[in-house]
Amino acid sequence: MLSLGAYQLLLTRVPVHAAINETVEQAKGVANGRASGLVNAVETRLNMVERRVGVDAVFTHAGCESADVTAEQAENLYWIVRQGIIKGEPGRLPRLKVPATPMQGMDVGYCPKDGFLAYHLEPGAKVKKGQAVCDVIDPANPHGPKARTTIYAQTDGVLFAKRLNGSLAWPGLVLYRIAGEQRLAHRAGMSGLDD
């Protein structure tokens, strides 16, 4: 989010207020809305800093010392440096949390019917084939447990993307993505950008 906001502020003609507002709105869905304050502060301060300043100046103008910044926040700024948006030393690339997986090993869960989503797992969770990932709950169904349709993983891997709990879903909507090591026959020839 910080990367996109910085890109909009520094390299596009998007109005400043629109770029900051859009980034803050996206951040409201992260960490129960606690991330929006940080994003607002960083984006506003970044707007005050001239283009092509250093990372240390961004930290200073963001009102924090580099020691107070989490590793994830620092990595977002270093990503901006790697893209050439601001000057600075980008640091080492972060270590992969898991080995790279083939694109055809990505399990994509699709919604079979209308309802609300209730996930059993959070992003980063290791998943086994056949494990329940989420339920689609039909609020109009008066039959209690029969109102739930459970969606199961089709491969072993790591859950890396999902929608928010309680989100409204409809048939065909992508519910989650799992990075798996084994190629899935039904994903052959698909790029990952196809859904």
Side-chain angles (χ1 to χ4, degrees):
M1 277 180 267
L2 287 173
S3 306
L4 176 61
Y7 175 81
Q8 288 180 327
L9 283 172
L10 300 174
L11 296 176
T12 69
R13 294 181 185 198
V14 173
V16 171
H17 69 279
I20 293 173
N21 186 51
E22 182 62 29
T23 309
V24 169
E25 286 301 314
Q26 288 179 0
K28 287 181 180 176
V30 177
N32 296 328
R34 294 184 307 232
S36 61
L38 171 71
V39 169
N40 187 29
V42 171
E43 295 292 318
T44 300
R45 301 290 185 194
L46 184 59
N47 179 48
M48 295 178 191
V49 179
E50 289 183 15
R51 290 184 190 192
R52 312 301 304 177
V53 299
V55 171
D56 290 335
V58 173
F59 281 129
T60 302
H61 285 281
C64 57
E65 297 293 325
S66 55
D68 299 331
V69 176
T70 68
E72 184 177 352
Q73 293 163 344
E75 186 52 43
N76 285 333
L77 286 173
Y78 294 142
W79 182 89
I80 295 169
V81 171
R82 286 186 200 103
Q83 303 312 305
I85 297 170
I86 59 176
K87 289 190 293 185
E89 184 59 41
R92 293 174 36 164
L93 288 171
R95 200 176 92 233
L96 292 176
K97 295 181 180 180
V98 295
T101 58
M103 194 58 91
Q104 283 115 2
M106 180 176 61
D107 177 14
V108 179
Y110 296 96
C111 188
K113 65 179 191 174
D114 293 326
F116 291 95
L117 302 175
Y119 285 87
H120 300 269
L121 305 166
E122 291 298 321
K126 293 191 177 185
V127 182
K128 294 286 184 191
K129 182 177 181 176
Q131 183 176 354
V133 177
C134 71
D135 291 331
V136 180
I137 304 168
D138 180 358
N141 188 329
H143 301 294
K146 292 182 180 179
R148 287 180 178 257
T149 301
T150 303
I151 313 299
Y152 299 94
Q154 297 179 39
T155 188
D156 294 345
V158 176
L159 177 70
F160 70 90
K162 73 174 192 69
R163 300 204 174 268
L164 295 174
N165 275 316
S167 295
L168 182 61
W170 51 88
L173 179 72
V174 173
L175 301 177
Y176 62 84
R177 297 175 192 269
I178 296 172
E181 293 179 17
Q182 302 300 318
R183 295 178 188 275
L184 303 171
H186 68 278
R187 297 289 299 168
M190 295 185 167
S191 68
L193 302 174
D194 53 320
D195 40 37

